[in-house]
């Protein structure tokens, strides 16, 4: 165990000792970099994420959060009352509809039903007879 | 940097001068060829100049600057991934030799040849640039514990490779 830790320490020491030393700065290279910086047009503050977009996103997130909370905490309005329908009895039909028109419509419905019944009977007879013969 | 943040380009010259040797060594140790180091240095300076407003003066400057330089370098590595045709892959020789006794300066090239690029980078940031694991964690987007574990593994891998290389050397000498 001790041997391992000794070798690890020796390795660390060897790594630290073998680090190449720093040379002095190259003025030509520095000048080139500075010239490039001077030649580059300044970035518009609108395009700097740290100055514009992040605060804007934070404000938008806060607004969305507040809106959500407001929607959740909004007091619920009572449901609108359904208007009551007037209760109508059979006796009130006479008041709602003229008697003559009522009789005529019922008579025509009865005539229609009788015709339909006659047609249905004729069709049934015809089919049953066709099965038999 | 506060003066730089206000747009003072002359103030940045001092920063650029102080950083130049450091970035040169950083790029050269992490495998950037000499011809491309100038471009990377300029790109890093430009980014630092533009991001000067985001710099927090309460924090140390060098880890922040090297984080920017590292990102510039990673972009460069991504764009210039070295590739070898499959037919020529056998012809690529491993010409790294093991460091002999007394040749301590060779340990970094040896480590670069034997370790993965991530492990080598962590070793360099820790022992070459002398950063704390927490600073390395902030630079590389890992947790401090993860960095410690990776450093431990990298050291173990390097020690094992050195041991193997030493054994083969002694075997060669015996023959």
């Amino acid at each position: 165990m001790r041997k391992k830790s000794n070798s690890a320490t020796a390795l660390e020491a060897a790594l630290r000792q073998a680090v190449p030393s720093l040379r002095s700065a190259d003025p030509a290279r520095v000048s080139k970099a500075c010239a490039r910086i001077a030649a580059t047009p300044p970035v518009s503050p609108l395009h700097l994420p740290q100055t514009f977009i992040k605060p804007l996103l934070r404000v938008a997130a806060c607004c969305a959060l507040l809106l959500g909370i407001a929607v959740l905490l909004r007091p619920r309005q009572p449901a609108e009352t359904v208007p009551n329908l007037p209760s109508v009895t059979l006796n009130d039909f006479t008041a709602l509809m003229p008697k003559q028109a009522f009789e005529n419509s019922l008579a025509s419905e009865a005539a229609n039903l009788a015709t339909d019944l006659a047609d249905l009977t004729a069709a049934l007879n015809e089919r049953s007879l066709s099965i038999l013969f | 940097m506060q003066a730089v943040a206000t747009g003072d380009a002359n103030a940045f010259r001092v920063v650029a001068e102080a950083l130049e040797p450091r970035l040169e060594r950083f790029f050269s140790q992490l495998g950037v060829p000499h011809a491309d180091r100038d471009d990377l240095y300029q790109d890093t300076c430009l980014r630092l100049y533009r991001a000067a407003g985001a710099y927090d003066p309460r924090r140390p400057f060098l880890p922040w600057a090297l984080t920017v330089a590292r990102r510039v370098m990673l972009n460069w590595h991504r764009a210039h991934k070295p590739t070898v045709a499959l037919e020529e892959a056998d012809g690529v020789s491993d010409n790294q030799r093991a460091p002999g006794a007394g040749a301590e300066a060779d340990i970094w090239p040896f480590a670069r040849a034997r370790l993965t690029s991530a492990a080598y980078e962590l070793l360099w940031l820790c022992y070459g640039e002398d950063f704390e694991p927490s600073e390395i964690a902030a630079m590389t987007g890992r947790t401090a514990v993860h960095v410690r574990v990776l450093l431990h593994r990298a050291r173990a891998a390097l020690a094992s490779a050195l041991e193997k290389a030493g054994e083969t050397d002694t075997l060669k000498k015996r023959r």
Side-chain angles (χ1 to χ4, degrees), chain A residues 14 55 60 71 84 95 104 110 121:
Chain A
V71 166
N84 288 330
N104 286 343
T121 313

Side-chain angles (χ1 to χ4, degrees), chain B residues 52-74:
Chain B
Y55 171 63
D56 182 1
R58 288 169 296 178
R59 296 187 172 210
F61 174 72
L62 195 60
W64 181 73
L66 284 191
T67 305
V68 175
R70 181 177 172 267
R71 287 182 186 164
V72 169
M73 187 190 67
L74 289 179

Side-chain angles (χ1 to χ4, degrees), chain A residues 38-94:
Chain A
T40 311
V43 180
S44 161
L46 293 177
H47 292 102
L48 290 176
Q50 70 273 18
T51 57
F52 186 70
I53 293 176
K54 275 186 186 173
L56 193 71
L57 284 175
R58 277 181 197 152
V59 169
C62 285
C63 286
L65 190 67
L66 289 175
L67 198 70
I69 291 170
V71 166
L72 282 175
L73 298 180
R74 189 182 57 154
R76 303 212 167 186
Q77 290 177 351
E80 287 179 13
T81 50
V82 180
N84 288 330
L85 290 171
S87 59
V88 179
T89 59
L90 281 174
N91 296 331
D92 297 331
F93 269 113
T94 51

Side-chain angles (χ1 to χ4, degrees), chain A residues 3-4 7-44 48-51 54, chain B residues 9 12-13 16-18 20-22 24-25 29 34 37-39 41-43 45-46 49-54 104-108 111 123-124 126-130 155-156 158-159 162:
Chain A
K3 192 182 172 187
K4 262 192 178 179
S7 67
T9 316
L11 181 63
E12 286 178 2
L15 285 169
R16 285 187 206 279
Q17 276 177 8
V19 173
S21 55
L22 289 172
R23 61 163 176 73
S24 56
D26 181 358
R29 190 182 263 188
V30 174
S31 299
K32 247 199 263 182
C34 290
R36 189 176 160 193
I37 287 167
T40 311
V43 180
S44 161
L48 290 176
Q50 70 273 18
T51 57
K54 275 186 186 173
Chain B
F12 188 73
R13 191 179 177 87
E17 254 178 23
E20 199 273 333
R22 204 86 197 214
E24 167 67 21
R25 189 177 71 176
Q29 284 298 319
H34 188 266
R37 283 179 220 156
D38 201 15
D39 286 343
Y41 170 67
Q42 285 184 25
D43 284 348
C45 284
L46 192 62
Y49 179 71
R50 283 185 173 166
E104 280 152 346
D106 286 348
I107 196 167
W108 285 106
L123 272 188
W124 173 255
C126 183
Y127 300 109
E129 300 292 344
D130 215 14
R155 275 194 308 261
L158 181 59
L162 281 168

